[in-house]
């Protein structure tokens, strides 16, 4: 059977319970030391090894060894740590009970320890086993009590009721804890779904659905943001405006669906050549814009030139293998340029390119 790996939360609670076992042992040793010192010289058994070895040294050494084994399992076999802690909690309680004097009538309540541990893990199977062990222990206490010792029998009945009440409370805590966990998981899932929807909506508001490039609105927002940052941190930037030559003839001769294919292929060629710091958008219709940053004009001109040649050499199978061309106007940003003047100069360069022989780049 495949056992899933532990979650960080499970590892955390295993560590907490192991630390609790150590703390209980320290408190137990401190109480024993206090009792021994208080009775030293008053009771003979406290001044000899007859009490110290069987009632303190041996049981405490066994408890220490038990916790040490749990630590080893937690470190080298973490998948079995949870089960080993539940199992060891019963042994831990029994060792502590057997270590105490019969005069301590409340010592059976130490058996609440495995019930509390089972409650922390929020698993009903653990709680059922721990409840059964506590019930069996309570029955044994009652049967081993003299029928004439009514006071002790009543105490054991009360202890059994405490076990039963704790078990019922434990099952209630487990059910309520699972409900809260389920509610939290549903809330987290709803939040994740909402976040995904917001991401999708944000993408839809920024991306042109046909070409998968940014849209007109996003281009203007990004260009404005870049120019604002130029004031405090100047950097090289070029804007290119690109228009497909004779695109109306493509739609008229082959149909708008072929025109859509052409737009997609042109967008793909643009994305193929620009870098991760660059920006491309469909400005509208058959017009595209490209922003190149952190490059000298010569390098950006080479990139735009490769785009121009790549599109001209790209056959369109839906147009009987013919290719299309584009005209490009480009402007190298200068510090005194505004957003509108930057775009206007690139657009004027495009107009000049289309007015001449087309399929060329004009730089203003």
């Amino acid at each position: 059977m495949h056992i899933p790996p532990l979650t960080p939360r499970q590892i955390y609670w295993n560590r907490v319970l192991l630390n609790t076992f150590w703390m209980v042992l320290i408190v137990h040793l401190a109480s024993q030391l206090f009792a021994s010192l208080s009775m030293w010289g008053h009771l003979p058994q406290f001044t000899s090894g007859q009490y110290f070895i069987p009632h303190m040294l041996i049981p405490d050494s066994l408890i220490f060894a038990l916790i040490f084994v749990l630590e080893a399992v937690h470190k080298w076999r973490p998948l079995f740590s949870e089960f080993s802690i539940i199992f060891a909690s019963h042994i831990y309680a029994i060792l502590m009970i057997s270590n105490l004097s019969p005069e301590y009538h409340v010592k059976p309540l130490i058996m609440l320890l495995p019930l509390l541990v089972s409650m922390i893990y929020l698993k009903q199977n653990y709680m059922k086993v721990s409840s059964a062990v506590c019930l069996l222990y309570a029955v044994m206490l009652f049967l081993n009590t003299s029928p004439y010792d009514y006071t002790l029998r009543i105490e054991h009945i009360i202890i059994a009721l405490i076990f039963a009440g704790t078990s019922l409370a434990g099952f209630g805590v487990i059910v309520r804890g699972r409900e809260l966990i389920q509610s939290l998981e549903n809330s987290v899932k709803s939040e994740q779904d909402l976040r995904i929807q917001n991401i999708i909506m944000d993408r839809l508001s920024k991306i042109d659905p046909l070409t998968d490039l940014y849209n007109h609105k996003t281009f203007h927002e990004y260009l404005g943001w870049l120019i604002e940052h130029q004031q405090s941190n100047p950097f090289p930037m070029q804007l290119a405006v690109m228009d497909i030559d004779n695109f109306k003839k493509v739609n008229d001769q082959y149909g708008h669906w072929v025109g859509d294919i052409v737009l997609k292929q042109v967008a793909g060629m643009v994305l193929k050549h620009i870098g991760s710091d660059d920006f491309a958008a469909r400005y509208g219709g058959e017009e595209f814009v490209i922003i190149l940053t952190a490059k000298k004009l010569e390098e950006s001109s080479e990139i735009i030139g490769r785009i121009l040649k790549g599109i001209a050499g790209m056959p369109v199978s839906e147009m009987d293998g013919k290719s299309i061309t584009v005209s490009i106007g480009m402007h190298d940003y200068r510090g005194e340029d505004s957003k509108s003047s930057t775009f206007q100069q690139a657009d004027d360069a495009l107009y000049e390119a289309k007015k001449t022989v087309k399929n060329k780049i004009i730089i203003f």
Side-chain angles (χ1 to χ4, degrees), residues 61-228:
S61 298
L62 292 175
I63 293 174
F64 179 83
L66 178 66
I67 301 178
F68 184 80
V69 170
L70 292 179
E71 289 284 359
V73 173
H74 179 72
K75 183 176 181 179
W76 288 295
R77 292 291 187 271
L79 292 178
F80 302 99
S81 184
E82 182 178 299
F83 174 78
S84 63
I85 289 174
I86 287 291
F87 179 76
S89 65
H90 296 84
I91 300 176
Y92 192 106
I94 292 172
L95 286 173
M96 292 190 68
I97 291 172
S98 62
N99 186 21
L100 295 174
S101 171
E103 297 178 0
Y104 303 137
H105 299 309
V106 296
K107 68 178 185 178
L109 293 177
I110 296 176
M111 287 301 295
L112 291 174
L113 177 63
L115 288 176
L116 297 176
V117 173
S118 302
M119 200 181 303
I120 288 175
Y121 280 123
L122 295 179
K123 293 187 177 180
Q124 290 188 350
N125 289 336
Y126 291 162
M127 181 59 68
K128 290 177 182 178
V129 172
S130 298
S131 300
V133 171
C134 288
L135 177 61
L136 178 62
Y137 178 71
V139 171
M140 292 176 60
L141 282 177
F142 188 82
L143 294 178
N144 290 332
T145 305
S146 171
Y148 302 104
D149 195 342
Y150 298 108
T151 302
L152 190 56
R153 282 203 160 192
I154 292 175
E155 289 180 359
H156 290 165
I157 291 174
I158 293 174
I159 289 172
L161 292 175
I162 292 175
F163 286 160
T166 305
S167 296
L168 292 176
F171 284 112
V173 168
I174 291 173
V175 172
R176 182 56 179 159
R178 288 183 173 181
E179 289 177 354
L180 291 175
I181 291 174
Q182 185 63 46
S183 177
L184 180 60
E185 290 176 350
N186 293 337
S187 298
V188 171
K189 186 177 183 303
S190 298
E191 182 180 351
Q192 290 174 341
D193 291 342
L194 182 60
R195 190 175 302 170
I196 291 172
Q197 290 177 4
N198 289 337
I199 292 173
I200 293 174
M201 293 300 295
D202 183 64
R203 175 178 170 80
L204 291 176
S205 68
K206 294 181 177 180
I207 300 297
D208 174 64
L210 178 63
T211 61
D212 214 27
L213 299 178
Y214 289 103
N215 58 24
H216 179 105
K217 175 177 177 291
T218 307
F219 159 70
H220 280 290
E221 291 176 350
Y222 186 64
L223 180 61
W225 181 83
L226 285 176
I227 291 177
E228 283 181 10

